Every structure is written in C-alpha cells, then in structure tokens.
Amino acid sequence: MAFVQVTPVLLCGGSGTRLWPLSRRSYPKQFASVLGEETLYQQTARRLSGSDSAFSFAAPIIVTGTDFRFIVTEQLIEIGIDPGAVLIEPEPRNTAPAVLAAALHIAKTDPEAILLISPTDHVVPDPAAFRKAIAAGLPAAGRGDLVTFGIAPDRPETGYGYLELAAPPDDEGPLPLKSFTEKPDPATVKRMLEGGCHLWNAGLFLFRARDILAAYEAHAPTLVEPVRKAVDTAQPDLGFLRLDPEAFARAEDISIDYAVLEKATQLSVIPYKGRWSDLGSWEAVLHETPQGPSGTATSGAATAIDCSGSLLRSEAETLELVGLGLENIIAVAMPDAVLVADRSRAQDVGQAVEALRARSRPQATRAPRDYRPWGWFETLVLGDRFQVKRITVNPGGILSLQSHIHRAEHWIVVEGTARVTIGETTSLVAENQSVFIPLGAVHRLENPGKLPMVLIEVQTGSYLGEDDITRHEDLYSRP
Amino acid sequence: MAFVQVTPVLLCGGSGTRLWPLSRRSYPKQFASVLGEETLYQQTARRLSGSDSAFSFAAPIIVTGTDFRFIVTEQLIEIGIDPGAVLIEPEPRNTAPAVLAAALHIAKTDPEAILLISPTDHVVPDPAAFRKAIAAGLPAAGRGDLVTFGIAPDRPETGYGYLELAAPPDDEGPLPLKSFTEKPDPATVKRMLEGGCHLWNAGLFLFRARDILAAYEAHAPTLVEPVRKAVDTAQPDLGFLRLDPEAFARAEDISIDYAVLEKATQLSVIPYKGRWSDLGSWEAVLHETPQGPSGTATSGAATAIDCSGSLLRSEAETLELVGLGLENIIAVAMPDAVLVADRSRAQDVGQAVEALRARSRPQATRAPRDYRPWGWFETLVLGDRFQVKRITVNPGGILSLQSHIHRAEHWIVVEGTARVTIGETTSLVAENQSVFIPLGAVHRLENPGKLPMVLIEVQTGSYLGEDDITRHEDLYSRP
C-alpha cells in the first residue's frame, strides 16, 4: 500500500450534563481535564496526530459550535497542533450534518481524502493499538468501504449502540457489518453478548470523502442540499469557517448512524480489543481512574479515609475534599458547585442539573471560567455594589471598544502588559500599574505582548450584570 | 424571694474539630452559624440576657482566648448586647481556671453575685423552659448550694458525664446530687438509664461567687493562688482584661468537674427536660436541624434529590451542593474545603483534620476568613506573583503602621471610606477611589467612619506571605 494520509475530523459540538459539575453547557467535558493533565479534546487531537509506519495524520478538521470556537483553537495551540480547518455550526444538529459538512469541505480540494471521524470526549488509553486498528481499516476504506470500529464489550451495556458481525471476530482484520442495533434492552444485550457477534459502536468511522458523500446522496439526500449550501456560502472569520446559519438550520437534526450508515451497504467493521470508554458517567470515570486497593480513586486535592468503591475529585488546587468512611459514593467538588451522589445514581446526574436550572442557578449551565474570543475571566467576589474579576487576555487578544452605563472599573495589571484605550488616549500599562475607567467612558483593553496578560478588575456600581455593555467596535463581530 | 440578678459567665475559649470544616481552630463552632442565622455564641448570649419574672440577667462575663477576643465583642455588638467584662486567657487551661478567674473577678466588687456558668457552643431550643429551670435553681444557690443542671437523657450516650440523683426526678425542683460519673462504658450507661436516676451533665452551673470560691479553696487550693494572681495583675487592654500569662500558666489544666465539683458537698441538681444538645458531631447537628420526611436536612444552597437520613450543608451562598440518592451521608461544603462522611463516622471527623494537618494544608486549622482586631480579610485569588484580598475594616478599626519588603499593594475602596497614610501624607479615600502603596512604603489603613469599610487589595511581588510585614506602630500591640 502506498503511503496514506488520514484527516481526522474532530467532532466537538456536544455538551452533556452527565459529568456535572465538571462538564457544563458553557464548558463541556471534551474541554475538561477528566483523566490526566490534558483535556479529552487535547488527548484526542494528540492521539490523531503524527505518523505511523502505515500512514500519517493530516491536520485535523474541527467541527464545533459558536461558543467553543476559541477554546478549540486555544487548546490545540497549547499542545502544539495546528488545526487544518475549524467549521462552526451555527447550532448543534447532531453528527450527520457535521460529518457531511466536513466531507464537503475537504472534497472541494481532495475528494479522495480519507477521513477519520472521531468524537473528542472519549478515552483510548492505548494510542498505538488504536493506530494499528486504523491501519487495519485503511485497505477497506481505500476500496470504498465505510469502515466502523467495534469495541469488544466488557459488560452488558444498554446505553450503547451495537454493531452485528456475521461471525465472531477472530483477528484484527475488517469484517462485513451485518446490522446496527440501537440501545437494546437488557435481555437482548444478554443474548447478543452470548452470541459473540456484537461489538459496541464507538462513533468512530473511516472512509474516503467521496464514498461518504455518495452514501449521503443515496440514503440522506435531503441533508445534502442545505449542508452543501451552508458550506459553499460559509463566511471565513478569523480563521474559522462559519457555516451559513439559514441553510444549516434546514438540515435535519440526526445522527450519521440513523441517517446514513444503517442504510448503507459496503460497511466494514474493525474489531478493537483495546480499552475504550466514552466516559458517559462518573461511574465510567471511576472505572478509568487508577484505584487504590479498596477500589477508591481520588484526583486533585482529595483525601479518602476508609473509603471503598468511591470516586473523590477536587477540581481546584485550593479546595480540599475529604471523604470519610464512604462506600460507593461519587463526590466532585468545584469552588462553585459540589456533587455528592450514590454510585448507583451516576446515570441521573442530569437531575442535579435540572434542579439547579429550575432555581435559575448559574451553576446549572455556566462554568466558573467564562471563555471569550480574547481569553477568559472569572468572578472572584460579587458584592452588592462591587465585583472583582480576574481577566486573562491571550497574546494578541483585543476586547471590544465598549462602555458601561452603571459601573466604573479599576484595572490592575498583575502579569504581562496591557494596551489600554480610554477615550482618545491609548497607553501601555505594565505589571503592577493600574488604570481607572470612569462610568460611561469608552474604553478598550488589548494584550499586545507575547505572553498572557492577567489583570484584576474591580467594578463598582449599582448594576454589575454582563449585559451592561455597549460595544462600539468589536474585532469578533459581537452585538 | 427578692428580685435577683444572675451574671452569665460565657466560656468560649474552646476549639474542637468535630464540626470541621465549619469549625476550625482559628474559628471554632461557637462563633459559627450552626443552626439559624445567629452563631451559637450569640444564641447563648441572647438566651442569657433580659429578665424573667423571677430574676434578670446582668451583663455577661466572657472568658475567651487571645485569638477570639475581637470576635467575642464584635458578635455581641451585632446583637446589641454589652459585655460586662472580657477576660482573656493567655492559653487554654480547661474550665476550672476559667470559672475561677470569673468568680474572682466579680467577687472583688460583689461576692454575693450569682453566676450562671455556661458553655457557648450548645443549643437550647426552648429558652423559656431553660429560664424556668434557672429560676428553680435560684433558692438553692441563694442558700449556698452549687447547682448543676441535669439533662434528661434520650439515648445511651457514652460521650457525656452523668449526674447521679438519690431518686428519679419527679418534678422540676432541685434534688441533692449523689455522684458524678465521667463518660461511662455502654454497659454502665444501660444500667444507669434503666435506674432512671442519672442525668447528663451539661456543664451548666449556678452558684454565688463566694460559695464557688470557698469550694475552690477547699478542694482545689493549688489553683487559687496562680489564678488569683493572674486576675489581680491582669492588664486592661482596649476594654479586655488580659490575665497575667506567667501566673495563669501555673494553673493546672483541669475541668471544674474534676477539680472542684466531684469533691464538693452541698450540690443540687435541677432536672431539665427540655431539648438540649452540645452539637458534639455532625450527627448531633442533623438531629437538631429540621428534616424532611425522609430524615434529610439541608441548609444553605444545598439540594437533596432522593436522599434519606442525610445532612447536606452549603456554607456559602455561591456554592451549590447537590446530593443524589444518598443514604446516611453527611456533606458539608465550604469554598475551601468539603467533607463527605458516612453518618456512622461522624465521631471521626478529627481524622479528616489530622490528614490535612499532616499535609500542612491550611484548611486543617484556618478558616477562609482571617479575623483580626480591626476586622477580617480573605484571599480571593493567589497567583504566582500576585494575590487579591478582600479586607473589611470595622468602624474605628486601625491597622498597624507597616511596610513590606517584597510587595506593592493597590487598594480600591468598594464600600465606606478609608483613611490612608502613606509616608508623611494622610488622606481620605472614598468608595470607588484607589491608592497605590509602593514596595517599602510605610503605610497605615483606618476606617474613620460609622460603617464597615471594604476594600480590595491587589498585591504584586515575588513573595506574598503574611509574615512580610514590618510593624512600625500598632494599636493592638502586636509584634
């Protein structure tokens, strides 16, 4: 086989609640450090980079939502990976439109390109074994198959879809796919596992762009027109490609499995026997975290005393979590929210989020750090008439030219150098210098430097909401 | 009976770990809001104030440690109670020296004074019934008895001392005390409860100053000389009376029960059938907190979903705690520390504190708010080369004239008005104004106003420890 390039398509528009409070709508689990220092998204991008004896990975295509567009590039920069393209979905429409958009985008320049579609919130502890499975799938993809990867089940999981093979897999080569089974009932699962012909559908696919496009044309033709239009009329914006909102909204909200693969022919399965998890619950995270002899796992500033079968996670350095005499308890502590759940209820964490949402608590959906195009901020303290924020501006980051009607602001630069405009005056503000923005003054903050700039903002005023902002000019075209 | 005055002696030098993380060495449970808005100390002071048909309470005598001297007065001011005297123990020596010091102090002016000795970390939900019990004890105290209060036991508690009566109590009148039993074993407790002649010793005592002094002279004569000297040579200091350290250190570290009462004659017991708790563990707190039908109690920003027999407490408005499917779990969340314990281990919370102490974590002993003579502060964020603090200065509060070798400070006043001295210049700094204290500059902060003054301090420098302080002058005589 000739030397082959594989283009990863990283799907990261999803946002679940099952790992709350770590995962929130504003900052879903793929962007969080769930296992190890790097985020799941970073681990995925790293796993799908570099080269193997059989193939090399091209720069990845990222498909994500508006809210996450700066996170996806920032997190790649952190680990030294350049994105090939970042496609912005105007709204989440499940995987079928996302994959189609990526395929259409790359097909413009290279219809023969081999795509590896991958979720970014799963864990695959053995990247070498996984690359071997990809290599095993390349010949099938090269002859026009749509290749799926099937995970050898280690438990009767009813929450997954299954891939049925004609015969039990006996080696690592591709096998024809007989059928898909979506989330079966327990009796069916039991029967399937006994038969040995069923593998988990991990949402990982390998195919040529032109082959998957042909499959969409054949099996989901109504998707093709709107998504093609959304791609063709996409707006380039600061290195992102914003899919056309009007056209994209007309695409059906449906998974690629339902829309295309379940109807397609020429499907192959590569069995994957290595460890894999979709980290679909804290129970799954406990399973993947190194445990002590009593089956308890701790991470961060967490201490377990006489605990068994428990997961204790502190998500902040300055927050000590202590478990005492716990059995089968999951405790996850953050500075603004703490979950304590019985392990048997790990699937019901969404109820915690619902309870907070019903009481309009920001913790239901918003993470403590608010990511913006230019960096991020977090509130350190909110008083009746004052608020203190820590603001980090990335190198080159430029906040909008703005003013506030109800508040004045003090800025103290504590790391790096800021360029500050107030009215007609622009000046550099160095570490340990401060400036005052009077109420009503038109102002702008920039980081002209090469390092992140950190400043402490002290707001004073009678109303301190984020919506007291008049944007006079904005690099990132926000209203 | 003539109209009688009772002088409460509030003992608040104690500091336990059993309600960690709410209670810490730097801020023990009597000063925390364990049940209701007011702190246990405030509830105690309020319960022992005002007047009844039979007697009235005089201003209380407070006995406390150096670290808590400003907290005790501040918390009384908050509820509009004036302390009669505040005696400062140079070091904790248990209750015998503390009660003796209070008795010697009041005996100087009024040896006939009737003292009610009370811990300040207990809960007595029915103050009227409790005052009735005090009234019932007054005749006995008036004829020279040392009166104790015996709580009717509602469970076979091995953690308390017991008072043995000659016969089961049948009304509320005083009965002669036969003996004391310290923390008995389970078999003994069972036998005692069956007999019906044993009540819990709540550490509440009623007697005339001269009678308890006579009892000390008779039964603990070696305590009298050092404590008398500590009182006679006490230094008045900003309204406090600092017991002489050298003399007080010579007093034995012993409880009044062991030192005096167990040996004394003329002891009476007033049975108390109302509810009482020493809140000696989170289990006890759960017991005293209103519970839902499933026996679960929540307080603060805590939500229980399908929980039973559990206590869920969030100690900060901005910290959401959610319990999911928990049975018999205690969870207490603070912004810097979270405890999750099985209820059966409520007595072992000290192990959590020990584990943190072993790792030199400040959460083992220090509360997030650091109380100082002039008010309090808390760290909002600590970076490598910067730290942000919120500082509250009480009206009239004056920080020391100080300088720092390693840090500069920015101050932004967000509530009230500050008087700031930098070098030779003193000026008023109003809300929304800021000042800069250069590294090395001699400076002082005061609140000359009538309302608390709040400022945000942003420190920058290479070393940000509390010990980088040179005090040039200090109202509160600190080194």
Side-chain angles (χ1 to χ4, degrees):
Chain A
M1 191 173 70
F3 183 79
V4 179
Q5 269 218 327
V6 174
T7 301
V9 175
L10 305 183
L11 304 179
C12 37
S15 121
T17 58
R18 292 182 297 173
L19 296 193
W20 186 88
L22 182 59
S23 173
R24 309 201 195 174
R25 199 177 67 203
S26 80
Y27 204 74
K29 83 178 207 267
Q30 59 267 31
F31 303 122
S33 300
V34 181
L35 293 168
E37 291 283 305
E38 291 186 349
T39 70
L40 295 174
Y41 167 71
Q42 287 175 324
Q43 289 171 351
T44 305
R46 189 185 287 286
R47 188 164 64 240
L48 306 183
S49 67
S51 56
D52 207 71
S53 56
F55 66 93
S56 75
F57 285 110
I61 297 177
I62 320 294
V63 188
T64 191
T66 308
D67 290 348
F68 311 134
R69 66 198 192 280
F70 295 97
I71 302 178
V72 295
T73 44
E74 214 181 292
Q75 290 204 351
L76 285 192
I77 290 168
E78 273 178 27
I79 59 168
I81 290 178
D82 285 327
V86 180
L87 307 186
I88 312 285
E89 298 171 290
E91 54 186 299
R93 304 300 277 171
N94 209 327
T95 52
V99 172
L100 178 54
L104 287 166
H105 173 75
I106 201 159
K108 286 185 187 180
T109 51
D110 182 10
E112 301 297 318
I114 296 181
L115 306 179
L116 178 76
I117 312 298
S118 175
T120 50
D121 56 350
H122 296 179
V123 64
V124 180
D126 185 351
F130 184 62
R131 275 199 295 270
K132 212 171 146 198
I134 294 170
L138 284 174
R143 66 174 180 258
D145 275 15
L146 308 181
V147 179
T148 62
F149 294 84
I151 313 290
D154 62 5
R155 62 183 187 277
E157 177 65 56
T158 55
Y160 297 158
Y162 283 75
L163 306 170
E164 187 187 4
L165 309 180
D170 51 3
D171 68 2
E172 288 165 352
L175 291 161
L177 174 66
K178 200 168 150 195
S179 76
F180 284 86
T181 310
E182 280 305 314
K183 303 183 179 173
D185 58 62
T188 310
V189 168
K190 189 159 175 288
R191 211 166 48 241
M192 293 191 319
L193 294 202
E194 283 164 8
C197 293
H198 284 83
L199 303 176
W200 288 337
N201 178 0
L204 288 158
F205 309 109
L206 186 76
F207 35 59
R208 284 190 305 216
R210 68 178 171 89
D211 298 323
I212 191 68
L213 289 176
Y216 272 93
E217 293 281 5
H219 306 296
T222 60
L223 277 174
V224 178
E225 184 277 326
V227 176
R228 187 185 296 276
K229 179 148 190 228
V231 172
D232 286 348
T233 61
Q235 292 295 315
D237 176 15
L238 295 171
F240 306 116
L241 212 53
R242 284 180 180 277
L243 301 177
D244 180 71
E246 179 275 324
F248 198 75
R250 287 192 286 112
E252 192 182 355
D253 186 328
I254 188 169
S255 76
I256 185 173
D257 304 64
Y258 276 119
V260 179
L261 299 176
E262 296 194 6
K263 303 166 187 161
T265 51
Q266 267 203 283
L267 290 160
S268 295
V269 180
I270 303 290
Y272 182 67
K273 290 177 179 156
R275 256 177 50 220
W276 166 92
S277 171
D278 71 344
L279 300 177
S281 69
W282 283 119
E283 175 71 25
V285 174
L286 171 55
H287 205 74
E288 297 301 323
T289 310
Q291 298 168 14
S294 66
T296 290
T298 61
S299 83
T303 306
I305 302 173
D306 301 336
C307 295
S308 65
S310 296
L311 176 66
L312 303 176
R313 291 179 63 109
S314 163
E315 306 296 341
E317 248 177 80
T318 54
L319 179 54
E320 288 289 339
L321 168 65
V322 182
L324 177 61
L326 301 176
E327 271 180 47
N328 300 322
I329 293 288
I330 287 159
V332 182
M334 297 184 75
D336 67 336
V338 177
L339 171 73
V340 184
D342 194 84
R343 246 174 99 170
S344 65
R345 300 298 296 274
Q347 296 294 340
D348 303 329
V349 170
Q351 293 183 20
V353 180
E354 267 319 301
L356 295 185
R357 203 197 310 265
R359 287 174 32 234
S360 303
R361 303 300 295 153
Q363 287 92 337
T365 53
R366 300 218 64 82
R369 290 191 176 177
D370 217 321
Y371 284 80
R372 297 297 165 108
W374 41 261
W376 57 266
F377 68 85
E378 64 186 349
T379 295
L380 299 176
V381 65
L382 177 61
D384 271 351
R385 290 173 44 82
F386 71 93
Q387 177 168 218
V388 183
K389 286 181 177 177
R390 167 198 214 164
I391 297 176
T392 296
V393 183
N394 298 328
I398 304 181
L399 281 70
S400 64
L401 185 69
Q402 58 188 244
S403 60
H404 313 292
I405 293 175
H406 295 289
R407 67 177 189 253
E409 294 174 346
H410 295 260
W411 290 346
I412 298 114
V413 175
V414 294
E415 281 180 28
T417 300
R419 182 155 56 210
V420 176
T421 303
I422 304 176
E424 302 297 308
T425 312
T426 296
S427 54
L428 287 181
V429 182
E431 199 171 299
N432 200 26
Q433 292 186 329
S434 67
V435 290
F436 176 63
I437 321 288
L439 188 152
V442 173
H443 60 281
R444 166 167 268 167
L445 176 64
E446 304 167 55
N447 178 2
K450 303 292 178 203
L451 296 169
M453 187 271 293
V454 181
L455 68 75
I456 303 300
E457 174 177 281
V458 180
Q459 306 176 345
T460 54
S462 50
Y463 177 78
L464 301 166
E466 280 304 311
D467 56 348
D468 174 18
I469 186 165
T470 307
R471 289 205 171 95
H472 304 275
E473 209 183 289
D474 186 18
L475 178 60
Y476 314 106
S477 318
R478 293 168 299 175
Chain B
M1 190 174 69
F3 183 78
V4 179
Q5 269 218 329
V6 174
T7 301
V9 175
L10 305 182
L11 305 180
C12 37
S15 118
T17 58
R18 291 181 298 174
L19 297 193
W20 185 89
L22 182 58
S23 173
R24 308 200 196 174
R25 199 177 66 202
S26 79
Y27 204 72
K29 83 178 206 269
Q30 58 267 32
F31 302 121
S33 300
V34 181
L35 293 167
E37 290 283 305
E38 291 185 350
T39 69
L40 296 174
Y41 168 70
Q42 287 175 322
Q43 290 171 352
T44 305
R46 188 184 288 286
R47 188 163 65 239
L48 307 183
S49 66
S51 57
D52 207 69
S53 56
F55 67 93
S56 74
F57 285 110
I61 297 177
I62 320 294
V63 188
T64 191
T66 308
D67 290 350
F68 310 135
R69 66 196 192 281
F70 295 97
I71 301 177
V72 295
T73 46
E74 214 180 291
Q75 290 204 349
L76 286 191
I77 290 169
E78 274 179 26
I79 58 168
I81 292 178
D82 286 324
V86 180
L87 307 186
I88 311 286
E89 298 172 291
E91 55 186 300
R93 305 297 279 171
N94 210 326
T95 52
V99 171
L100 178 54
L104 287 166
H105 173 74
I106 201 160
K108 286 186 187 181
T109 50
D110 182 10
E112 302 296 317
I114 296 181
L115 306 179
L116 178 76
I117 312 299
S118 175
T120 51
D121 57 351
H122 296 178
V123 64
V124 180
D126 185 352
F130 184 62
R131 274 198 295 271
K132 213 172 143 196
I134 294 170
L138 284 174
R143 64 172 181 260
D145 274 18
L146 308 180
V147 180
T148 63
F149 295 84
I151 312 291
D154 63 5
R155 63 184 186 276
E157 177 65 57
T158 54
Y160 296 159
Y162 283 74
L163 307 170
E164 188 189 1
L165 309 179
D170 50 3
D171 68 2
E172 288 166 353
L175 291 161
L177 174 65
K178 201 168 148 195
S179 76
F180 284 85
T181 310
E182 280 304 315
K183 304 185 177 172
D185 59 61
T188 308
V189 168
K190 189 159 178 287
R191 211 167 47 240
M192 294 190 318
L193 294 201
E194 282 163 7
C197 293
H198 284 84
L199 303 175
W200 288 337
N201 178 1
L204 289 157
F205 309 108
L206 185 77
F207 36 59
R208 286 189 306 217
R210 68 177 171 93
D211 297 324
I212 192 67
L213 290 177
Y216 273 92
E217 293 280 4
H219 306 296
T222 58
L223 279 174
V224 178
E225 184 278 325
V227 177
R228 186 185 298 276
K229 180 150 187 222
V231 172
D232 287 348
T233 61
Q235 293 294 317
D237 176 15
L238 295 171
F240 306 115
L241 212 53
R242 283 180 181 276
L243 301 178
D244 180 70
E246 178 274 326
F248 198 75
R250 287 190 287 113
E252 193 183 353
D253 186 327
I254 188 170
S255 76
I256 185 174
D257 304 63
Y258 276 118
V260 179
L261 299 175
E262 297 194 5
K263 302 166 186 161
T265 51
Q266 267 202 284
L267 290 160
S268 294
V269 180
I270 302 290
Y272 181 68
K273 290 178 179 154
R275 255 177 51 219
W276 166 92
S277 171
D278 71 343
L279 300 177
S281 68
W282 285 118
E283 174 72 25
V285 174
L286 171 55
H287 205 73
E288 297 301 322
T289 309
Q291 298 168 12
S294 65
T296 290
T298 61
S299 83
T303 306
I305 301 173
D306 301 337
C307 295
S308 65
S310 296
L311 175 67
L312 303 176
R313 292 179 63 111
S314 162
E315 307 296 340
E317 250 178 80
T318 53
L319 179 53
E320 289 289 340
L321 167 66
V322 182
L324 177 61
L326 301 176
E327 271 179 46
N328 301 322
I329 293 289
I330 287 159
V332 181
M334 297 185 76
D336 68 336
V338 177
L339 170 74
V340 183
D342 194 84
R343 246 174 100 171
S344 66
R345 299 297 296 274
Q347 296 293 340
D348 303 329
V349 170
Q351 292 182 21
V353 180
E354 267 319 301
L356 295 185
R357 203 197 310 264
R359 285 173 33 233
S360 303
R361 303 299 297 152
Q363 287 92 336
T365 52
R366 301 219 61 83
R369 290 190 176 178
D370 217 322
Y371 285 80
R372 296 298 164 107
W374 41 260
W376 57 266
F377 69 84
E378 64 188 350
T379 295
L380 299 176
V381 63
L382 177 61
D384 270 351
R385 290 175 44 83
F386 72 95
Q387 177 168 217
V388 183
K389 286 181 178 178
R390 167 198 215 166
I391 297 175
T392 296
V393 183
N394 298 327
I398 303 181
L399 280 70
S400 64
L401 184 69
Q402 57 187 244
S403 60
H404 312 292
I405 293 175
H406 295 290
R407 67 180 189 249
E409 294 174 346
H410 295 260
W411 291 345
I412 298 113
V413 175
V414 294
E415 281 180 29
T417 300
R419 183 155 58 210
V420 175
T421 303
I422 304 177
E424 302 298 308
T425 312
T426 296
S427 54
L428 288 180
V429 182
E431 198 171 298
N432 200 26
Q433 293 186 328
S434 67
V435 291
F436 176 64
I437 321 288
L439 188 151
V442 173
H443 60 281
R444 164 169 268 167
L445 176 64
E446 304 168 56
N447 178 2
K450 303 294 180 202
L451 296 169
M453 185 272 291
V454 181
L455 67 75
I456 303 300
E457 173 176 281
V458 180
Q459 306 176 346
T460 53
S462 50
Y463 177 78
L464 302 165
E466 281 303 310
D467 55 349
D468 173 18
I469 186 166
T470 308
R471 290 206 170 95
H472 304 275
E473 209 183 289
D474 186 19
L475 179 60
Y476 314 105
S477 316
R478 293 169 298 176

